[in-house]
Amino acid sequence: MQAVAELLEVEPGPLLGAMTSYKVREMRQTLTVSKAEKNRDAFTKAVFAQLFDWLVERINHAASGGGKGGSTGGGSALQGTKDPLKGTKFIGVLDIFGFEIFETNSIEQLLINYANEKLQANFTKTTFENEEGMYLAEGIQFDHIEYADNAPVLQLIEGKGGIVPMVDEESKLPNTSDKTLLEKLNASFAQGKHPRYATSLKRGSEDCFSVKHYAGDVLYAVTGFLEKSVDNISAELIAALKSSSAPVVAALFSLGSARDTNTSSAGASSSAFGAGKSRKPTVGAIFTRELKALVELLESTSSHFIRCIKPNASKSATAVERRMVLEQLTYSGVFEAVAIRKKGFPFRLKHEDFVERYAKLCPDDGAVAAARDTKTKCKAIAVHLQLDMKNVQVRYTVLEYNI
């Protein structure tokens, strides 16, 4: 504790007291070892989360031309300032979550796989729905291609009364447990009530439920779901951190911080240790909100996708497991994406862009110069350059071509 106090630049006495005891009205009670450990874990997670947000804010501030990110304390990064990158043009790279299926899967894997489902839905919308919409708008004849739609599993996870909202609700209600959570999940979705949900009948996994993800079935153990959903940290610990002589530590938990921190008032600090349930946002609620913001950002951009295929499970530089590769290509919709692109032409330019790029290759007094509109100019350029018209199609607003 002395080492931690020195690193955070706080007084060790108050920190130790807040870590191992709590106040009920004016009486102080000592925590059990188990509750003190939970208090320690919640404290550690909260410091890490706030520091992470602080670093991201400073990096964004510096990347937007805002200098070195402010003062040494960097408190401005946590005071609800406007996003310095908002409204600017940028090239972003999103390294998406890897789909996780372990021997034991908990709420962490559920949220990560939920993110995968959400990003897969974005891929589907961009690749299939938008592509078919463009074909219809441009008058391209094509046959509809069936593709895996993961909207049902997203509805199961995030929809009204879905898994994440139900975990959020159970985390806030009194006298609930992982067992009551599973009972409510089964009552809502089991026995065919939802096609993507199933109960486990295997011996030793009675506390589990299964979700049929686009990448395969995953068995989730509910043990620890509610405890992991809410990381309460007492007001006394917050006060100890805010008294730090290090400006950055004091700023991390100031009002208006970037991330909601589950704190209780001084008069109700016992709620963090079982006397009641927190009404602050749960881990799932925060994750859902941030994932929604990410998807909204992606949908406002022109997206391009790079599919990384894991060749083997042994991390070998030379081995290729064909079945493993085939499953990844199948589940991720790559085959369907290739098929729909083949219905049209792989390269396309707007009429004005094609004219601006290639009209320079044509004489100034020829058919291109005489054409009155860009569509006619495109056709004239193609004729002048003696392009094979089997590989060129001039549509309503774009020119498509093969090479």
Side-chain angles (χ1 to χ4, degrees):
M1 188 60 67
Q2 182 67 36
V4 173
E6 290 178 2
L7 289 172
L8 296 174
E9 297 187 33
V10 298
E11 291 296 326
L15 182 63
L16 178 62
M19 194 76 72
T20 59
S21 63
Y22 66 99
K23 278 186 177 181
V24 178
R25 296 180 176 84
E26 295 302 320
M27 297 179 62
R28 179 167 293 278
Q29 296 186 15
T30 302
L31 296 173
T32 64
V33 173
S34 176
K35 290 182 178 179
E37 289 175 344
K38 292 179 181 179
N39 196 23
R40 174 202 61 197
D41 293 343
F43 168 79
T44 304
K45 291 177 183 179
V47 171
F48 178 88
Q50 295 299 106
L51 183 59
F52 183 88
D53 286 337
W54 177 81
L55 284 171
V56 170
E57 290 288 347
R58 285 175 65 85
I59 291 170
N60 285 345
H61 184 74
S64 66
K68 297 182 179 180
S71 63
T72 303
S76 61
L78 293 166
Q79 296 302 321
T81 56
K82 293 182 179 180
D83 183 355
L85 296 180
K86 190 173 183 179
T88 62
K89 294 182 179 180
F90 66 92
I91 298 175
V93 178
L94 173 62
D95 184 5
I96 70 170
F97 298 87
F99 200 87
E100 292 191 351
I101 306 178
F102 298 140
E103 186 174 341
T104 301
N105 303 288
S106 188
I107 191 169
E108 300 94 337
Q109 284 68 51
L110 176 65
L111 294 178
I112 288 174
N113 294 340
Y114 166 36
N116 268 279
E117 293 284 0
K118 200 75 170 175
L119 295 174
Q120 177 67 17
N122 174 257
F123 170 78
T124 299
K125 181 177 181 180
T126 303
T127 304
F128 298 101
E129 296 178 12
N130 292 355
E131 191 76 7
E132 288 192 351
M134 190 280 296
Y135 287 174
L136 290 171
E138 295 295 333
I140 300 174
Q141 297 296 321
F142 72 98
D143 295 324
H144 173 72
I145 293 178
E146 294 296 331
Y147 54 86
D149 184 4
N150 67 338
V153 73
L154 280 174
Q155 186 274 333
L156 169 65
I157 296 173
E158 69 176 6
K160 185 177 181 180
I163 296 173
V164 172
M166 194 174 294
V167 173
D168 182 59
E169 180 183 6
E170 289 293 288
S171 299
K172 297 176 180 179
L173 294 175
N175 303 319
T176 56
S177 64
D178 296 325
K179 182 180 179 181
T180 61
L181 169 65
L182 183 59
E183 290 173 351
K184 290 186 178 181
L185 288 173
N186 290 339
S188 298
F189 307 118
Q191 298 179 338
K193 294 179 181 177
H194 197 286
R196 296 301 187 95
Y197 181 94
T199 55
S200 175
L201 300 178
K202 294 181 180 179
R203 180 175 296 180
S205 59
E206 294 83 1
D207 63 339
C208 299
F209 65 90
S210 177
V211 174
K212 300 178 185 295
H213 291 282
Y214 78 89
D217 295 359
V218 180
L219 193 66
Y220 296 101
V222 296
T223 303
F225 259 50
L226 298 187
E227 182 180 331
K228 294 176 181 179
S229 294
V230 181
D231 291 322
N232 285 312
I233 176 172
S234 70
E236 289 181 271
L237 278 174
I238 295 297
L241 289 168
K242 291 175 71 173
S243 68
S244 172
S245 57
V248 64
V249 175
L252 290 180
F253 291 90
S254 59
L255 293 176
S257 61
R259 185 186 298 267
D260 291 305
T261 305
N262 291 338
T263 61
S264 51
S265 64
S269 62
S270 61
S271 66
F273 308 110
K277 294 293 183 73
S278 170
R279 295 191 178 275
K280 292 292 183 177
T282 62
V283 171
I286 295 172
F287 189 90
T288 299
R289 183 185 64 206
E290 294 180 350
L291 183 58
K292 180 182 178 181
L294 172 63
V295 172
E296 288 177 351
L297 176 62
L298 290 175
E299 292 179 346
S300 69
T301 65
S302 177
S303 299
H304 303 271
F305 299 91
I306 299 174
R307 282 289 181 182
C308 299
I309 304 300
K310 189 175 181 180
N312 58 74
S314 58
K315 299 183 180 180
S316 169
T318 56
V320 175
E321 298 177 14
R322 298 178 63 182
R323 181 180 178 84
M324 183 176 182
V325 171
L326 179 61
E327 287 178 347
Q328 291 176 80
L329 292 172
T330 302
Y331 291 142
S332 62
V334 169
F335 292 135
E336 291 85 356
V338 172
I340 195 171
R341 289 293 295 199
K342 288 172 66 177
K343 293 294 182 180
F345 291 84
F347 305 101
R348 61 179 67 106
L349 285 173
K350 290 184 177 180
H351 291 165
E352 52 269 28
D353 294 335
F354 184 81
V355 171
E356 182 181 0
R357 180 174 295 185
Y358 296 108
K360 301 177 179 64
L361 301 176
C362 304
D364 294 336
D365 56 352
V368 176
R372 293 185 177 182
D373 59 80
T374 54
K375 184 176 181 179
T376 306
K377 287 180 183 291
C378 286
K379 294 179 179 178
I381 293 172
V383 171
H384 177 78
L385 297 178
Q386 299 181 358
L387 301 179
D388 185 353
M389 296 308 292
K390 293 181 180 179
N391 294 326
V392 179
Q393 291 290 326
V394 181
R395 306 296 184 182
Y396 297 142
T397 65
V398 300
L399 181 141
E400 296 189 321
Y401 60 97
N402 249 327
I403 57 174

